[in-house]
């Protein structure tokens, strides 16, 4: 049977989309070049909106994770705490979990979903294009055809580049690196994602199960010349609170990273294909919301496919408009936080002000985490037409 949808990339976005579409009765083929479990250099704090997606999938318990209740910023002697806001019955607690576990759970669930054929160790080589429309994928030397192709193959998306949708990066940009520690028996990670602002860098500490923590560093490429332990050790030593917490901790993973922290596509949809997750463009993770946004976008795409599949080619544009709405405030907030982080003195002032305005801080954290927008609810008056237009 010819599949309805081909998905390249079995990470968060690709696997969750496959689950949703399979449960909706679509025939899906999901291709992942790696094998699970796999390591990935990224942040591992899932914001409440992302936890909500897992709950709706019935996978929150399988994913598990260490709870955290908000974000705590440290800038010199100033500290600001912001709790996740309560939002329409949605979760108000985030979870920290190793990415290798999260990806494995979602991919396994996709593989077990009726209607989904999921393969690991399978290389997607190129898109198949006929008369200006994507009609399938070349996979391990064999053509696979479908009505829709979804490129969810990550920040360095080969398909995005091959389809001519890659927007070149300019300038040095920012990069990140990460490592995991297991805390000493007499230490405990607080239930917060903590951000330590230094001169030209930020350190992110995410609580994980079994007494583990993720330590991620973000900085300009010119600052992080190589993923050296000496550089990270110096930054940790400059933060007394963090230095004390990691005293006696055991490093349990190697230092990985130097991944660029920003990329974009010229378009997110073209005839026959949709870019999803980091393949559609990704922002600097300074607000820590990348995983939640990927899950929300996958849920939104599944909704649009279900609603618009029989209506012709108009539904992808509806999806793209809704995705941009989903990301609008998040992008604005990310640019604001990036601007503050690049000026250490201003960052200290901002942390001091936020510390005295917890309600405002809570609201901003809700924006970062996607709690201000419900992507699965598209206005009921919007209808798809075969000419690609929508009417109220």
């Amino acid at each position: 049977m010819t599949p309805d949808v081909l998905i390249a990339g079995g990470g968060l976005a690709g696997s969750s989309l496959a689950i949703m579409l399979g449960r909706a009765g679509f025939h899906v083929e999901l291709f992942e070049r790696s094998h699970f479990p796999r390591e990935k250099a990224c942040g591992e704090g899932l914001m409440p909106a992302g936890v909500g997606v897992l709950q709706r999938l019935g996978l929150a318990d399988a994913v598990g994770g260490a709870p955290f209740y908000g974000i705590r910023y440290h800038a010199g002697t100033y500290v600001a705490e912001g709790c996740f806001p309560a939002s329409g019955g949605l979760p108000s607690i985030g979870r920290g979990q190793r990415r290798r576990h999260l990806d494995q759970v979602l991919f396994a669930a996709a593989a077990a979903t009726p209607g989904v054929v999921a393969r690991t160790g399978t290389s997607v080589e190129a898109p198949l294009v006929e008369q200006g429309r994507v009609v399938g994928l070349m996979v391990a030397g064999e053509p696979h055809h479908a009505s829709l192709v979804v490129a969810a193959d990550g920040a360095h998306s080969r398909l995005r580049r091959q389809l001519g949708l890659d927007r070149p990066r300019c300038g040095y940009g920012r990069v990140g690196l990460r490592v995991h520690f297991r805390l000493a028996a007499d230490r405990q990670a607080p239930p917060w994602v903590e951000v330590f602002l230094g001169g030209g860098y930020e350190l992110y500490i995410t609580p994980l199960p079994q007494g583990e923590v993720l330590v991620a560093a973000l900085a300009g490429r010119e600052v992080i010349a190589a993923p050296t332990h000496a550089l990270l050790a110096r930054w940790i030593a400059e933060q007394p609170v963090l230095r004390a917490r990691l005293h006696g901790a055991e490093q349990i993973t190697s230092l990985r990273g130097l991944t660029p922290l920003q990329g974009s596509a010229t378009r997110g949809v073209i005839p026959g294909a949709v870019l999803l997750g980091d393949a559609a463009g990704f922002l600097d993770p300074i607000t820590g919301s990348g995983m939640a946004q990927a899950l929300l976008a996958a849920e939104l795409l599944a909704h649009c496919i279900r609603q618009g599949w029989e209506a012709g080619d108009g539904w992808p544009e509806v999806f793209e408009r809704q995705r941009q709405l989903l990301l609008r405030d998040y992008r604005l907030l990310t640019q604001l936080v990036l601007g503050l982080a690049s000026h250490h003195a201003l960052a200290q002032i901002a942390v001091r002000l936020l510390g005295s305005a917890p309600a405002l801080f809570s609201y901003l954290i809700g924006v970062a985490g996607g709690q201000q927008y419900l992507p699965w609810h598209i206005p009921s008056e919007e209808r798809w037409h075969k000419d690609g237009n929508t009417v109220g």
Side-chain angles (χ1 to χ4, degrees), residues 230-248:
L231 179 63
L232 183 60
R234 176 165 62 82
W235 287 345
I236 291 173
E238 292 174 357
Q239 303 290 339
V241 173
L242 179 57
R243 184 177 68 240
R245 185 166 303 135
L246 294 179
H247 179 73

Side-chain angles (χ1 to χ4, degrees), residues 169-248:
R169 300 187 187 96
C170 57
Y172 283 104
R174 280 161 45 93
V175 295
L177 54 87
R178 70 95 176 107
V179 68
H180 296 90
F181 292 93
R182 181 173 292 112
L183 298 180
D186 61 344
R187 299 291 194 275
Q188 186 175 6
W192 302 83
V193 170
E194 295 191 286
V195 184
F196 293 84
L197 303 178
Y201 67 87
E202 306 98 49
L203 297 177
Y204 290 75
I205 317 302
T206 303
L208 301 170
Q210 300 177 336
E212 298 176 4
V213 295
L214 167 77
V215 178
L218 309 181
R221 182 180 289 275
E222 70 281 7
V223 176
I224 306 179
T228 63
H229 287 82
L231 179 63
L232 183 60
R234 176 165 62 82
W235 287 345
I236 291 173
E238 292 174 357
Q239 303 290 339
V241 173
L242 179 57
R243 184 177 68 240
R245 185 166 303 135
L246 294 179
H247 179 73

Side-chain angles (χ1 to χ4, degrees), residues 3 11 56 86 164 168 188 219 256 280 287 349 357 379 389:
R56 291 186 288 278
Q188 186 175 6
R256 297 186 60 175
T287 56
I349 294 172
N389 296 319

Side-chain angles (χ1 to χ4, degrees), residues 337-360:
V337 176
L338 274 173
L340 291 173
S342 64
H343 299 85
H344 191 53
L346 287 179
Q348 287 186 313
I349 294 172
V351 170
R352 182 179 63 183
L353 293 175
L354 289 173
S356 63
L360 173 61

Side-chain angles (χ1 to χ4, degrees), residues 34-320:
S34 303
H35 294 278
F36 295 97
R38 63 175 184 182
E39 292 286 355
K40 184 173 183 180
C42 71
E44 294 176 330
L46 184 61
M47 294 292 198
V51 175
V53 177
L54 295 181
Q55 290 179 345
R56 291 186 288 278
L57 287 174
L59 295 173
D61 290 342
V63 168
F68 58 89
Y69 302 100
I71 312 295
R72 177 187 286 165
Y73 275 86
H74 300 257
T77 59
Y78 301 113
V79 178
E81 294 179 353
C83 293
F84 294 122
S87 179
L90 298 176
S92 57
I93 298 176
R95 295 191 187 183
Q97 181 58 278
R98 289 283 296 273
R99 183 64 186 267
R100 58 179 288 155
H101 176 73
L102 177 55
D103 284 350
Q104 185 174 23
V105 168
L106 285 175
F107 189 87
T113 301
V116 177
V117 176
R119 301 183 178 93
T120 58
T122 305
S123 176
V124 174
E125 296 159 351
L128 300 176
V129 181
E130 296 179 1
Q131 299 180 344
R133 182 182 183 88
V134 180
V135 296
L137 295 170
M138 183 64 68
V139 183
E142 297 289 335
H144 291 248
H145 291 82
S147 299
L148 178 67
V149 168
V150 177
D153 52 340
H156 306 290
S157 172
R158 173 189 288 185
L159 290 177
R160 181 181 67 207
R161 184 175 65 254
Q162 291 172 329
L163 290 169
L165 301 175
D166 209 14
R167 191 188 303 276
R169 300 187 187 96
C170 57
Y172 283 104
R174 280 161 45 93
V175 295
L177 54 87
R178 70 95 176 107
V179 68
H180 296 90
F181 292 93
R182 181 173 292 112
L183 298 180
D186 61 344
R187 299 291 194 275
Q188 186 175 6
W192 302 83
V193 170
E194 295 191 286
V195 184
F196 293 84
L197 303 178
Y201 67 87
E202 306 98 49
L203 297 177
Y204 290 75
I205 317 302
T206 303
L208 301 170
Q210 300 177 336
E212 298 176 4
V213 295
L214 167 77
V215 178
L218 309 181
R221 182 180 289 275
E222 70 281 7
V223 176
I224 306 179
T228 63
H229 287 82
L231 179 63
L232 183 60
R234 176 165 62 82
W235 287 345
I236 291 173
E238 292 174 357
Q239 303 290 339
V241 173
L242 179 57
R243 184 177 68 240
R245 185 166 303 135
L246 294 179
H247 179 73
E250 173 192 5
Q251 182 179 325
I252 57 175
T253 61
S254 59
L255 192 64
R256 297 186 60 175
L258 289 187
T259 302
L261 299 182
Q262 195 166 24
S264 62
T266 56
R267 293 191 63 192
V269 299
I270 58 173
V274 174
L275 306 184
L276 184 65
D278 285 347
F282 56 101
L283 297 172
D284 192 293
I286 194 166
T287 56
S289 305
M291 293 196 298
Q293 298 293 346
L295 289 168
L296 289 170
E299 190 173 48
L300 173 61
L301 178 56
H303 179 90
C304 288
I305 291 173
R306 291 195 305 268
Q307 296 295 316
W309 189 258
E310 301 296 334
D313 288 339
W315 69 263
E317 298 298 335
V318 175
F319 163 71
E320 187 60 12

